[in-house]
Amino acid sequence: MSTTADVSQDLLPEVSEFLSASLQKAFVNGAWVEASGGQTFDVVDPGRGAKIATVAALQKADVDAAVDAAANAFEGSGWAKMPVAERSAALHRIADAVEARKVAFSQIEALDCGKIYEQAEADVQNFIDTFRYFANLAQQVNYRSVIGVQGHEAWVARHPWGPCGFIIPWNFPFLLAGWGLAPALAAGNTCVLKPAEDTPLSALYLCKIVQELDLLPAGVLNVTTGLGEEAGAAVSSNPKFRRMSFTGSPEVGRLVAESCGRNLIPVKCELGGKGAAVVFEDVDIESTAEKLVGAITFHTGQVCCDATRWLIHKDIYDKFVGECVERMKAVNIGYQMDSAAQMGPVVNPTQRDRVLGYLEKGVAAGAELVLEGGAAEVAGCGGYYVKPALMAGSLDNVAAREEIFGPVAYLAPFATEEEGIRLANDTDYGLGNSVWSSDLVRCARVAEAFESGNGWINAHNVVVHGVPYAGIGKSGMGGGVVSPETLNDYLRPISCVRPL
Ligand code: NAD
């Protein structure tokens, strides 16, 4: 395993200027606001462990004011009543504005969450694609569908709901902001977004561009920066929302769902995962090993739908594991802005300790360390680096059952198709599993037999606009993202009926 620390990319002047602000304020009702009591929190570059911003930590009253702004904008700004074509054009203008500043957004995102620059760029492109996808889809929706029933004139009309809340995590800050905001805005709703405290900067840069170019009426998009227990809890408990969306851990998801339940606000939760890859004996061993190693080291394993349990047919187990070990040893760990780096840091010291802690707990419970892992140093960087690791043993092990959220995969052999499916499904989570085989009939059978929201074939982490993406069990509830169903979730149906 090698490490590298060259910074081969200079920051754009506009990024340096954005980061030079003494305080990054929240964006409420089209204006920049501080916390009412002046509270702030620091944001750190995970690759260097150095502070890059001080951000307003909004309190409950501040968040409530943002929700009021969103409610007023829904009623009074004209956004909700605007012809669909005009609203879609506004979403396209946002996509165009982000595209024109793609490098700036990517630099901010990479610095803020420690993501390898190319991966940050792909996330920014995904945001652009999401806005365009929902802008186009909104023009194809039937906003008034007639129902043919005997003795009655009947139809269903679809309108936006009102203010919608979004609480998102730190692993894909800008991409997930797009997945939440684009369908809600395309349907005519107004939004309050609470970014994670580790990674609020790309959402604030979006607000800066929206304000400068006058891309949305005031109050349609509000970003309430702050800590989870304060600003997050204030979002999830506000009774004026009409829809809520939470992406993050199952533990916090439960709290948000409880709050929404008390207010009878529909909530969708996109939560954690413990995905399996079921690898059959007829695969191309080298290319499959390459892809799974690529998946578990992508964004340093901080991916909810990752393949973290690798179930490998017993006939190829030893050779397959050997190939994986060699590839993982060769991964170049480095600063996220270094073009030679393949795997960057984890997001914060807590996350690093969590990954290292699971290696310890797993071994204490009997797992074998096939590839040791552990903390990594990158010369000249004081950031939070870990090495990729492979564990093996009983699938009852704590490291095989709980979400680690790092570059750690747990290995186990299986003998028959039934056993492979059973082991993959033996988890509380249900987000994304994959099957790997050259027998495509078997692949289709196994993919359908997974008890998860997504069954992928000869690939992992496959999320495509237009295909519903959601989790079941401890991985989520209440509907998914990036599909026509998502847009529908942001439209309130009303049945209108007249007896003839
Ligand atoms: P987290 O649950 O700790 O935090 C998520 C968000 O909730 C943050 O904005 C945080 O400030 C806020 N929050 C914290 N406490 C809160 C409270 N009491 N009330 C309201 N909001 C509160 O999650 P994380 O550590 O930021 O992200 C990692 C988790 O997210 C992992 O479990 C991962 O699998 C999951 N995730 C899921 C998906 C998906 O699509 N299913 C996508 C990305 C991440």
Side-chain angles (χ1 to χ4, degrees), residues 120-199:
E121 206 171 33
D123 287 6
V124 174
Q125 185 59 51
N126 191 291
F127 177 100
I128 296 163
D129 295 344
T130 305
F131 263 69
R132 292 197 174 131
Y133 171 73
F134 282 109
N136 292 334
L137 195 65
Q139 299 191 65
Q140 296 157 29
V141 169
N142 197 349
Y143 290 91
R144 190 172 178 281
S145 34
V146 172
I147 306 173
V149 281
Q150 215 172 10
H152 297 83
E153 180 191 28
W155 71 95
V156 172
R158 293 180 183 82
H159 302 295
W161 285 93
C164 299
F166 299 87
I167 303 174
I168 59 172
W170 46 258
N171 60 340
F172 288 85
F174 200 52
L175 176 148
L176 292 173
W179 286 10
L181 298 174
L185 291 174
N189 300 281
T190 56
C191 299
V192 175
L193 175 78
K194 156 56 185 101
E197 42 271 58
D198 283 299
T199 55

Side-chain angles (χ1 to χ4, degrees), residues 18 24-27 32 105 108-109 112 127 168 173-178 181 193-196 199-210 221-225:
F18 174 67
Q24 298 287 352
K25 297 179 184 171
F27 190 67
W32 299 102
F105 274 100
I108 290 167
E109 191 75 336
D112 201 10
F127 177 100
I168 59 172
F174 200 52
L175 176 148
L176 292 173
L181 298 174
L193 175 78
K194 156 56 185 101
T199 55
L201 298 180
S202 53
L204 293 177
Y205 198 66
L206 174 70
C207 295
K208 177 176 150 61
I209 303 304
V210 163
L221 170 63
N222 304 274
V223 171
T224 53
T225 51

Side-chain angles (χ1 to χ4, degrees), residues 26-33 65-66 68-70 72-73 211 217-223:
F27 190 67
V28 173
N29 206 20
W32 299 102
V33 301
D68 285 348
N72 292 337
Q211 188 194 43
V220 169
L221 170 63
N222 304 274
V223 171

Side-chain angles (χ1 to χ4, degrees), residues 126-319:
N126 191 291
F127 177 100
I128 296 163
D129 295 344
T130 305
F131 263 69
R132 292 197 174 131
Y133 171 73
F134 282 109
N136 292 334
L137 195 65
Q139 299 191 65
Q140 296 157 29
V141 169
N142 197 349
Y143 290 91
R144 190 172 178 281
S145 34
V146 172
I147 306 173
V149 281
Q150 215 172 10
H152 297 83
E153 180 191 28
W155 71 95
V156 172
R158 293 180 183 82
H159 302 295
W161 285 93
C164 299
F166 299 87
I167 303 174
I168 59 172
W170 46 258
N171 60 340
F172 288 85
F174 200 52
L175 176 148
L176 292 173
W179 286 10
L181 298 174
L185 291 174
N189 300 281
T190 56
C191 299
V192 175
L193 175 78
K194 156 56 185 101
E197 42 271 58
D198 283 299
T199 55
L201 298 180
S202 53
L204 293 177
Y205 198 66
L206 174 70
C207 295
K208 177 176 150 61
I209 303 304
V210 163
Q211 188 194 43
E212 280 174 7
L213 302 184
D214 198 16
L215 296 174
L216 291 171
V220 169
L221 170 63
N222 304 274
V223 171
T224 53
T225 51
L227 305 183
E229 317 80 65
E230 190 71 55
V235 169
S236 63
S237 63
N238 190 300
K240 293 187 183 167
F241 282 118
R242 289 292 165 262
R243 306 282 309 182
M244 184 70 63
S245 166
F246 172 80
T247 309
S249 62
E251 296 72 27
V252 178
R254 271 201 187 95
L255 298 176
V256 172
E258 276 169 19
S259 282
C260 291
R262 270 195 293 281
N263 291 324
L264 299 177
I265 293 171
V267 57
K268 67 167 75 184
C269 290
E270 306 290 336
L271 308 174
K274 195 71 190 177
V278 182
V279 182
F280 283 92
E281 69 285 2
D282 57 353
V283 293
D284 179 309
I285 291 181
E286 275 115 46
S287 78
T288 307
E290 182 82 26
K291 286 177 187 157
L292 281 180
V293 168
I296 196 66
T297 53
F298 172 67
H299 195 21
T300 323
Q302 302 166 114
V303 181
C304 51
C305 52
D306 225 331
T308 51
R309 295 175 297 141
W310 296 358
L311 309 172
I312 301 150
H313 194 276
K314 64 179 181 38
D315 291 353
I316 58 164
Y317 184 86
D318 290 339
K319 177 152 175 40

Side-chain angles (χ1 to χ4, degrees), residues 37 46-47 94 125 135 160 179 183 186 188 199 225 257 272 313 321 325-326 334 346 354 356 428 446 460 482-483 495:
I94 293 175
Q125 185 59 51
W179 286 10
T199 55
T225 51
H313 194 276
V321 173
V325 168
E326 287 318 306
V346 294
R354 178 186 170 103
L356 302 181
D428 297 335
V446 174
H460 205 95
V482 299
S483 78
S495 297

Side-chain angles (χ1 to χ4, degrees), residues 25-46:
K25 297 179 184 171
F27 190 67
V28 173
N29 206 20
W32 299 102
V33 301
E34 298 184 27
S36 43
Q39 295 88 340
T40 62
F41 62 99
D42 289 343
V43 169
V44 167
D45 166 2

